[in-house]
Amino acid sequence: MATARPPISVVIPTYHALRYLPACLGAVQAQLRPYDEIVLVDNRSRDRAGAWVRTHLPAVRVIELPYNTGFAGGVNAGIAVARGELIWLINDDALAEPGCVDALWEALRDQPAAGWAAGVLTFSRHPQVVAGAGIRFQADGIATDRALGLPVSDLPAQPQLVFGASGGLALLRRAMLDDIGFFADFFSYLEDADLAWRAQLRGWECVLAPRARARHVYSATAGMFSPFKQRLLGRNRIRMLIRCLPTPLLVACLPAILAYDGMALAYAALRRQADMVAGRLMALAEWPVLQQQRRIIQARRTASLSALARWIEPPGGPVAALRTQRRLAALVAG
């Protein structure tokens, strides 16, 4: 007998995305049951997205924040007031395909040790191409989208375990969040990778649901290669590595991490991209706070080092990263 699905709270942070919200919310509402809910968190949007939704979609609970707290802050504010046993995260610029939430739930239901399920994001202009099918982690400290750029047809037919889920499309058990805490205060970018590490440290697995798909407008909020995004990526990368990697794994990965950052800084100097440098310096300035957070996180580790090490893939290198960026630019440009 199939397990009845618990109530779901859909949490959608939004920022200047009113042009996407009617389609996003319509696709989500079509997949919910009467006992589910939608929580929209408006990060002080200038387009007054929250006010529009409150007027035109009164069934949606709207939380309007006094200032922009980023993706992480918006999601955390929504989770804090959500009532469901399951939390469905989806970006405001994503369009869930029919059957998305059912596929997420079925994959999670069949993996009792999994704390969350990852969906598959595809490119809005190229829905046959994968933008992300969960998260992968490399020995050089890069956390990136799995299966990026591959045809959807290359995805596995059945659910499989992965390192973590993208915050853009995931179904989370509240029990996992009660255990490991909410998203780290990263504002945006890599907060889902940080959550994946903290989940793995506590023995919570993640399962990919290949049939759970949503079309995504890639980097619609901050711009794909904007200085703002580069600064946050540089800062949050260092934050994640200091906070989350157990010492033996960090030591083993350190040569590849330093090699990557050395090449990244050289590239930043050559291309005069100061924000790549500034983000890393911001994180290093937080060293005492990050060390304190690290002690707390690592003290709660229950997973073995071997169980964690299996998720660390060989480093891709800066050339591979550059190729990925160019491939992304071509896909986003259509």
Side-chain angles (χ1 to χ4, degrees):
M1 184 175 179
T3 304
R5 175 169 73 70
I8 284 178
S9 293
V10 188
V11 175
I12 306 174
T14 188
Y15 183 66
H16 302 345
L18 180 57
R19 62 193 183 279
Y20 303 117
L21 277 176
C24 172
L25 291 171
V28 166
Q29 285 180 317
Q31 302 187 37
L32 299 183
R33 300 175 184 176
Y35 52 79
D36 298 326
E37 67 172 352
I38 300 177
V39 180
L40 180 82
V41 182
D42 186 354
N43 263 318
R44 194 68 175 179
S45 300
R46 288 191 297 270
D47 59 12
R48 295 182 54 79
W52 185 92
V53 171
R54 185 178 283 114
T55 300
H56 294 88
L57 298 170
V60 176
R61 295 177 64 191
V62 177
I63 309 297
E64 295 188 83
L65 300 181
Y67 58 92
N68 182 14
T69 62
F71 178 85
V75 166
N76 288 345
I79 294 174
V81 302
R83 297 186 288 258
E85 294 179 36
L86 299 172
I87 307 296
W88 180 11
L89 300 182
I90 184 167
N91 277 2
D92 56 5
D93 54 3
L95 186 67
E97 296 187 3
C100 179
V101 72
D102 287 340
L104 286 167
W105 160 240
E106 289 164 9
L108 192 59
R109 177 197 63 198
D110 295 341
Q111 290 285 345
W116 50 339
V120 176
L121 290 169
T122 62
F123 290 95
S124 59
R125 296 184 181 182
H126 301 277
Q128 76 283 2
V129 180
V130 176
I135 301 171
R136 56 193 292 263
F137 184 83
Q138 300 175 176
D140 53 9
I142 293 295
T144 188
D145 296 304
R146 292 182 71 255
L148 176 64
L150 293 181
V152 169
S153 58
D154 283 1
L155 292 174
Q158 300 300 320
Q160 63 176 216
L161 294 180
V162 294
F163 173 66
S166 165
L169 183 63
L171 187 67
L172 296 78
R173 298 187 196 271
R174 181 174 290 278
M176 183 185 77
L177 295 173
D178 289 343
D179 180 39
I180 68 173
F182 291 4
F183 286 90
D185 185 19
F186 282 12
F187 192 83
S188 292
Y189 307 114
L190 297 180
E191 63 281 301
D192 46 11
D194 181 276
L195 192 78
W197 265 112
R198 288 187 285 123
Q200 292 288 348
L201 288 168
R202 291 287 294 167
W204 290 100
E205 296 178 339
C206 182
V207 59
L208 171 67
R211 294 186 295 107
R213 299 173 189 168
R215 303 182 183 190
H216 182 221
V217 182
Y218 203 90
S219 281
T221 301
M224 192 167 67
F225 303 121
S226 69
F228 177 66
K229 181 174 181 178
Q230 293 301 320
R231 184 166 67 252
L232 290 181
L233 284 171
R235 183 195 68 179
N236 294 346
R237 163 185 164 82
I238 303 301
R239 283 182 172 181
M240 173 190 65
L241 294 174
I242 294 174
R243 283 162 46 91
C244 296
L245 265 69
T247 300
L249 299 183
L250 182 59
V251 170
C253 293
L254 195 58
I257 291 171
L258 293 177
Y260 179 89
D261 278 288
M263 292 292 292
L265 293 176
Y267 177 83
L270 182 65
R271 301 299 296 269
R272 298 183 179 179
Q273 295 185 1
D275 288 275
M276 294 178 65
V277 180
R280 288 165 168 81
L281 292 177
M282 289 168 63
L284 292 176
E286 300 169 347
W287 184 267
V289 174
L290 293 175
Q291 281 294 310
Q292 182 180 13
Q293 294 172 355
R294 174 183 176 81
R295 284 191 291 271
I296 295 171
I297 292 170
Q298 298 303 320
R300 301 191 71 243
R301 176 171 70 87
T302 56
S304 67
L305 291 175
S306 60
L308 297 170
R310 66 181 173 138
W311 295 116
I312 302 178
E313 301 181 20
V319 174
L322 190 58
R323 286 174 180 166
T324 299
Q325 286 189 349
R326 288 174 177 170
R327 169 70 170 155
L328 266 176
L331 286 166
V332 171

